[in-house]
Amino acid sequence: MTQLYNSRKRILVTGGAGFLGSHLIDRLLDEGDEVVCVDNLFTGSKRNIDHLHGNPRFEFLRHDVCFPLYVEVDEIYNLACPASPIHYQHDPVQTTKTSVHGAINMLGLAKRLKCKILQASTSEVYGDPAVHPQIEEYWGHVNPIGPRSCYDEGKRCAETLFFDYHRQHDLKIKVMRIFNTYGPRMHPNDGRVVSNFIMQALKGEPLTIYGEGDQTRSFCYVDDLVDGMIRLMNSSDDITGPINIGNPVEFTIKELAKEILEKVKSKSSLVFVPLPLDDPKQRQPDISKAKELLNWHPKIQLNDGIKSTVSYFESFLDRAAN
Ligand code: NAD
Ligand code: UDP
Ligand code: UDP
């Protein structure tokens, strides 16, 4: 218990001013919990949590998880880490520090508090996968010294730390491997494919297809993802993960471009540019475990999710113009 006369849960969300973190916080507050949001605002924005100021159950702390943190909470969701290739490659050393030192500090905090902790891991731990679709037992195919390694290996090391704290200190852990997720509050300049294509289509600029556009991804809408994350946190203690959460419907990047052009009713052309180094050729989660253990499956189809994401970016551009 964090407070003598309060039966509500007090939950720490690191990276809470980011895309996924801010949606998670909205859901936790809707459920009646108290939330402490910790973020250094490296890629996140106060705009994502502006609507929460004044809510007595919400608290924001500007803090870098690479440094120790002493707060009193009942549960921890550890999301702090830049997620898009442009952002995590901007300062790769800091990216690894955030994943590794950040995990150590948050695990140390959870150990002192004897509380549950969930790690936002990633499909990138599978690298450029040789097993398709990806099952949790697959150990991955990751370049340890390339431009994506700061993120991929940082996240892999964080998973190692989670399982060692679990084995060595009996910590209650939940490791979630998140596959490409999209939706409102994605950063417009984060270089990810959904935000890039929608912004380009809205501005009438050519859509930049990297390589031939035959590489595949499976896109999960943010509301589905947050639902899976909360279900995992609330699952019984023996469910540690790692567990894949994502939408298994797979699209080529060219198909995604076509879908976005239709939704925006844009006449933008397609331009083909070189494929970045180590760009995974295919990605699709096997979500059998999430279905069986969490009774979770994604409900929102790309068609509907893209519509609300386009509306978000339209109002973002309107605000920027006024
Ligand atoms: P995001 O960049 O919008 O959010 C990350 C947040 O972490 C930002 O608010 C940022 O300011 C904060 N942050 C970064 N370094 C920090 C530090 N050292 N201390 C405190 N805060 C720090 O990204 P997102 O898409 O919301 O991703 C959230 C988490 O989910 C990340 O851990 C990411 O690796 C993971 N993930 C996301 C996706 C996806 O498709 N969005 C896929 C796989 C994994
Ligand atoms: N830590 C923290 N908050 C706490 C407890 C620990 O930030 O409430 C950090 C602290 O920096 C520590 C790290 O977590 O170095 C790991 O803690 P642990 O107890 O595992 O190891 P130790 O304290 O022995 O280094
Ligand atoms: N991509 C693209 N055009 C863009 C941005 C990305 O073709 O403007 C491709 C990228 O090469 C990758 C896929 O889209 O194959 C997904 O990229 P993103 O950065 O969104 O996610 P990740 O590579 O981390 O899965």
Side-chain angles (χ1 to χ4, degrees), residues 11 57 98 146 155 169-170 195 315:
I11 301 179
R57 287 184 287 112
T98 293
K155 289 284 189 178
H169 299 300
D170 212 17
S195 43
S315 55

Side-chain angles (χ1 to χ4, degrees), residues 151-225:
Y151 183 75
D152 302 7
E153 297 289 18
K155 289 284 189 178
R156 285 168 69 94
C157 183
E159 287 200 5
T160 307
L161 284 161
F162 268 69
F163 277 86
D164 282 334
Y165 268 79
H166 172 62
R167 284 186 289 255
Q168 203 174 322
H169 299 300
D170 212 17
L171 209 64
K172 292 175 190 153
I173 60 156
K174 307 278 175 188
V175 175
M176 168 174 182
R177 292 187 178 150
I178 302 172
F179 283 65
N180 297 62
T181 302
Y182 70 99
R185 300 191 198 145
M186 286 184 92
H187 199 290
N189 302 321
D190 72 1
R192 282 190 266 196
V193 68
V194 173
S195 43
N196 264 12
F197 283 1
I198 294 179
M199 288 294 280
Q200 290 161 343
L202 287 171
K203 290 179 182 168
E205 294 169 359
L207 270 56
T208 49
I209 308 254
Y210 300 168
E212 300 295 313
D214 296 328
Q215 69 273 38
T216 66
R217 293 293 186 274
S218 313
F219 299 98
C220 185
Y221 189 65
V222 61
D223 291 358
D224 280 333
L225 193 284

Side-chain angles (χ1 to χ4, degrees), residues 81-321:
C81 187
S84 85
I86 287 188
H87 287 157
Y88 70 65
Q89 289 171 22
H90 171 76
D91 185 348
V93 172
Q94 179 61 26
T95 299
T96 305
K97 283 186 185 169
T98 293
S99 278
V100 177
H101 291 182
I104 292 173
N105 286 327
M106 293 310 104
L107 286 161
L109 175 64
K111 181 181 139 205
R112 176 174 65 79
L113 298 172
K114 297 187 176 48
C115 75
K116 257 192 281 191
I117 178 165
L118 180 146
Q119 167 69 354
S121 191
T122 169
S123 54
E124 301 285 342
V125 301
Y126 301 120
D128 189 4
V131 168
H132 193 75
Q134 289 78 59
I135 48 173
E136 289 86 349
E137 289 73 22
Y138 177 50
W139 290 352
H141 177 220
V142 177
N143 177 356
I145 56 167
R148 297 176 80 103
S149 312
C150 58
Y151 183 75
D152 302 7
E153 297 289 18
K155 289 284 189 178
R156 285 168 69 94
C157 183
E159 287 200 5
T160 307
L161 284 161
F162 268 69
F163 277 86
D164 282 334
Y165 268 79
H166 172 62
R167 284 186 289 255
Q168 203 174 322
H169 299 300
D170 212 17
L171 209 64
K172 292 175 190 153
I173 60 156
K174 307 278 175 188
V175 175
M176 168 174 182
R177 292 187 178 150
I178 302 172
F179 283 65
N180 297 62
T181 302
Y182 70 99
R185 300 191 198 145
M186 286 184 92
H187 199 290
N189 302 321
D190 72 1
R192 282 190 266 196
V193 68
V194 173
S195 43
N196 264 12
F197 283 1
I198 294 179
M199 288 294 280
Q200 290 161 343
L202 287 171
K203 290 179 182 168
E205 294 169 359
L207 270 56
T208 49
I209 308 254
Y210 300 168
E212 300 295 313
D214 296 328
Q215 69 273 38
T216 66
R217 293 293 186 274
S218 313
F219 299 98
C220 185
Y221 189 65
V222 61
D223 291 358
D224 280 333
L225 193 284
V226 166
D227 182 44
M229 194 180 269
I230 292 177
R231 277 172 193 256
L232 176 58
M233 180 61 108
N234 293 339
S235 63
S236 60
D237 290 348
D238 58 317
I239 300 176
T240 57
I243 194 154
N244 292 336
I245 301 282
N247 192 322
V249 183
E250 193 178 355
F251 292 88
T252 67
I253 295 305
K254 264 193 305 210
E255 286 168 341
L256 175 74
K258 193 164 159 268
E259 177 76 34
I260 289 177
L261 288 177
E262 270 174 31
K263 285 285 159 316
V264 177
K265 298 188 180 61
S266 166
K267 300 222 160 21
S268 288
S269 57
L270 303 183
V271 57
F272 291 83
V273 301
L275 191 68
L277 190 65
D278 292 339
D279 198 271
K281 282 180 269 314
Q282 52 183 3
R283 192 179 290 148
Q284 188 203 115
D286 180 315
I287 58 165
S288 316
K289 278 213 167 80
K291 280 184 176 157
E292 185 196 323
L293 300 174
L294 309 178
N295 193 21
W296 176 87
H297 67 273
K299 300 192 175 79
I300 297 151
Q301 318 232 335
L302 189 72
N303 181 39
D304 294 321
I306 290 290
K307 254 190 243 162
S308 41
T309 314
V310 167
S311 306
Y312 169 78
F313 281 111
E314 275 170 343
S315 55
F316 178 88
L317 283 173
D318 283 349
R319 275 200 308 273

Side-chain angles (χ1 to χ4, degrees), residues 64-98:
D64 183 330
V65 292
C66 296
F67 298 96
L69 175 71
Y70 289 84
V71 290
E72 308 305 312
V73 292
D74 302 297
E75 270 173 13
I76 304 171
Y77 288 85
N78 187 36
L79 275 67
C81 187
S84 85
I86 287 188
H87 287 157
Y88 70 65
Q89 289 171 22
H90 171 76
D91 185 348
V93 172
Q94 179 61 26
T95 299
T96 305
K97 283 186 185 169
T98 293

Side-chain angles (χ1 to χ4, degrees), residues 4-71:
L4 201 51
Y5 299 111
N6 190 348
S7 60
R8 283 188 202 123
K9 271 194 289 189
R10 189 151 191 263
I11 301 179
L12 171 63
V13 178
T14 75
F19 161 49
L20 297 183
S22 62
H23 284 278
L24 170 66
I25 291 175
D26 285 346
R27 273 283 303 275
L28 295 172
L29 289 171
D30 281 351
E31 289 178 10
D33 296 318
E34 289 182 17
V35 174
V36 180
C37 166
V38 162
D39 201 298
N40 69 351
L41 300 181
F42 173 53
T43 53
S45 161
K46 282 192 183 162
R47 208 177 35 240
N48 291 338
I49 47 170
D50 257 354
H51 59 291
L52 302 175
H53 291 295
N55 184 329
R57 287 184 287 112
F58 176 75
E59 226 176 302
F60 173 68
L61 287 178
R62 189 170 185 152
H63 174 84
D64 183 330
V65 292
C66 296
F67 298 96
L69 175 71
Y70 289 84
V71 290

